Amino acid sequence: LPQQDSIGLPGCPGSNNAEMFYMLAPDPGGSINGNTRTADYVRESTLSTTAHEFQHLINASRRIYVNDAFDLEESWLDEGLAHIAEELNFYANAPGTGPGENVSQQTIFRSNAILGTFNEYGIDNVGRFAEYLDAPPKWGPYADNDSLATRGAAWSFLRYAADRKGGNQQQLWFSLVNSRQSGLANIAAIFAIDPLAWVRDWTVANYTDDAVAGIAAQYTQPSWNFRDLFTNRGLGGVYPLATVPLTSGATQNLTIHSGSAAYLRFGVAGGSQAGVQLGVPGAAAPASCTPVALTVGQVYQAGPADASSLCVAGGSGGSEYVLIPFHASTALEAQLAVNVTASNVVPVTGGPSPSRSPAFSRSLAAVQTAADGFRTDDGGWERSLRLRERREFGARLHRGGTGARFQAAATSALSFSLVRTR
């Protein structure tokens, strides 16, 4: 708190207001509250944590003391930006890396210095993203929770959006942190976009990047080659995106979190045509199907609608597709039930898979069980501080009226993308 009254904030003469960090100190014997922390552990965790927490400090301080903001930043975006801060420190300390460089194993193993920097600043972000990829319908990049999956998705989406927008990224990050708005409204204003449309495209990129030939740039992730990175045994050895096979005559019943998607794969035999219907429970299927003819790498998108019916061609030699139903909603914790039924489809034969030339035998550092930049052995202390901040400081904001809120689709709506993958 300020020591004197400041832009409507009541002063507290006894405040310890100053520019300060409270950081971990080694305690190998666990003499304080039984929290055993070795010097190596503190050394390994301090740098990335400092970058992360410094973003939180700047973000909250600008809002409270400088910009007279309407509210603190929403948790998902505040955390996503803090993980971006960790990533920026990776770029700054790993020579020859930067946004748009499609960092792969080959990049990381270029030198021991880059490998060490990635294991210090980069691997935890990748690990959090893996938590999201493991069950994408369950999570979303702007969910109202503090899960590793939400943090990983938020970081990945922000990196995707910054790469797609282009221009001066330093100014972009500054503008997001120096804003009076919050959440999706902040994204919409600073990027000058419909954020739901970009989130939908990001869900496609999670499948198609570095995997599907001929895919448009908006469905790629230029800064990271995730399909290659995850083939390293330290990161699990396989790209962890969860997919669902479609079979003829069977219905897949899905529940998708707002801002996220599911991934359903199917094939169509040569000279044949398949039918795919998707919709919310109780919605009547359209009277006729919409013919969709795609070449490899093309994307067909539609919605929002309660139900859709597609006729998908197999071409002369057969084809494979991924259907990606997307929950278009700005409600942070909404869930949408979706049913998908297919007819005359065949199983997919493999891939898409990344190129592994050359194949690396060296292993990246194994991802921590709780690779969140804070670790769970703090007993939830960091999260408790974040909640206390919102409780005690949030009530001191809202001084200048009501902040803008993004209201493009507050109710749940079904949208989808269909990609021909081969």
Side-chain angles (χ1 to χ4, degrees):
L1 295 176
Q3 293 174 334
Q4 299 177 347
D5 292 352
S6 173
I7 61 170
L9 286 173
C12 174
S15 173
N16 66 344
N17 176 21
E19 293 186 0
M20 68 176 78
F21 277 106
Y22 290 95
M23 302 299 296
L24 292 179
D27 189 5
S31 60
I32 306 299
N33 298 326
N35 291 322
T36 301
R37 294 189 175 95
T38 65
D40 284 343
Y41 170 79
V42 173
R43 185 181 302 110
E44 291 170 0
S45 63
T46 292
L47 294 177
S48 60
T49 301
T50 301
H52 182 110
E53 298 299 343
F54 202 12
Q55 189 286 139
H56 288 314
L57 187 152
I58 295 169
N59 201 320
S61 296
R62 298 296 292 183
R63 288 171 175 273
I64 295 170
Y65 295 108
V66 180
N67 293 331
D68 194 20
F70 304 111
D71 204 347
L72 293 173
E73 183 54 272
E74 291 181 10
S75 177
W76 69 268
L77 184 49
D78 197 17
E79 295 297 344
L81 288 166
H83 294 307
I84 287 289
E86 298 174 42
E87 180 192 38
L88 295 178
N89 273 266
F90 165 71
Y91 292 143
N93 290 279
T97 68
E101 295 297 324
N102 206 33
V103 172
S104 64
Q105 292 185 74
Q106 187 171 17
T107 309
I108 292 168
F109 290 120
R110 192 184 299 153
S111 70
N112 286 333
I114 295 178
L115 173 62
T117 301
F118 176 74
N119 284 330
E120 174 65 43
Y121 289 111
I123 200 168
D124 283 348
N125 277 338
V126 175
R128 283 181 285 266
F129 186 42
E131 296 282 341
Y132 167 77
L133 294 174
D134 189 57
K138 183 180 178 181
W139 309 105
Y142 52 84
D144 190 20
N145 61 57
D146 196 40
S147 71
L148 301 184
T150 296
R151 289 169 177 250
W155 163 71
S156 175
F157 170 69
L158 288 174
R159 167 48 55 203
Y160 162 87
D163 290 342
R164 179 172 173 178
K165 183 174 179 58
N168 186 327
Q169 290 197 6
Q170 181 179 5
Q171 182 60 45
L172 180 71
W173 302 128
F174 175 87
S175 298
L176 281 170
V177 172
N178 198 45
S179 174
R180 299 182 73 200
Q181 302 186 62
S182 59
L184 291 173
N186 195 5
I187 296 291
I190 301 304
F191 283 86
I193 61 167
D194 172 1
L196 291 184
W198 278 35
V199 174
R200 180 176 68 173
D201 291 348
W202 166 78
T203 66
V204 176
N206 291 338
Y207 190 93
T208 58
D209 181 54
D210 290 304
V212 178
I215 200 71
Q218 71 197 69
Y219 307 116
T220 66
Q221 296 173 334
S223 289
W224 295 91
N225 189 334
F226 290 116
R227 283 191 177 268
D228 177 72
L229 288 177
F230 280 111
T231 61
N232 185 276
R233 65 177 182 268
L235 288 169
V238 64
Y239 188 55
L241 178 63
T243 62
V244 178
L246 276 181
T247 57
S248 292
T251 298
Q252 292 289 345
N253 300 309
L254 310 166
T255 300
I256 304 176
H257 200 287
S258 54
S260 197
Y263 298 83
L264 301 103
R265 301 178 65 196
F266 65 96
V268 185
S272 181
Q273 179 174 273
V276 179
Q277 292 185 353
L278 67 158
V280 300
S288 60
C289 67
T290 300
V292 179
L294 302 174
T295 60
V296 174
Q298 283 189 318
V299 180
Y300 174 82
Q301 293 181 316
D306 290 334
S308 295
S309 181
L310 308 175
C311 294
V312 184
S316 59
S319 54
E320 293 182 1
Y321 298 86
V322 59
L323 176 69
I324 309 174
F326 173 73
H327 183 182
S329 173
T330 59
L332 299 190
E333 287 295 336
Q335 297 183 35
L336 180 67
V338 178
N339 302 326
V340 181
T341 305
S343 61
N344 204 33
V345 298
V346 298
V348 295
T349 57
S353 60
S355 169
R356 297 192 61 190
S357 178
F360 290 98
S361 59
R362 296 178 69 187
S363 177
L364 301 170
V367 179
Q368 299 281 340
T369 301
D372 60 357
F374 312 108
R375 281 75 173 180
T376 55
D377 55 7
D378 72 355
W381 184 71
E382 191 272 341
R383 175 158 171 75
S384 70
L385 288 183
R386 187 78 64 245
L387 293 174
R388 181 178 178 183
E389 172 196 51
R390 295 183 177 281
R391 183 175 65 251
E392 296 187 1
F393 281 90
R396 299 172 182 273
L397 301 172
H398 300 285
R399 295 179 300 277
T402 302
R405 298 291 176 184
F406 187 76
Q407 298 292 346
T411 58
S412 295
L414 173 62
S415 177
F416 71 88
S417 304
L418 179 69
V419 187
R420 182 172 173 182
T421 58
R422 67 175 67 199

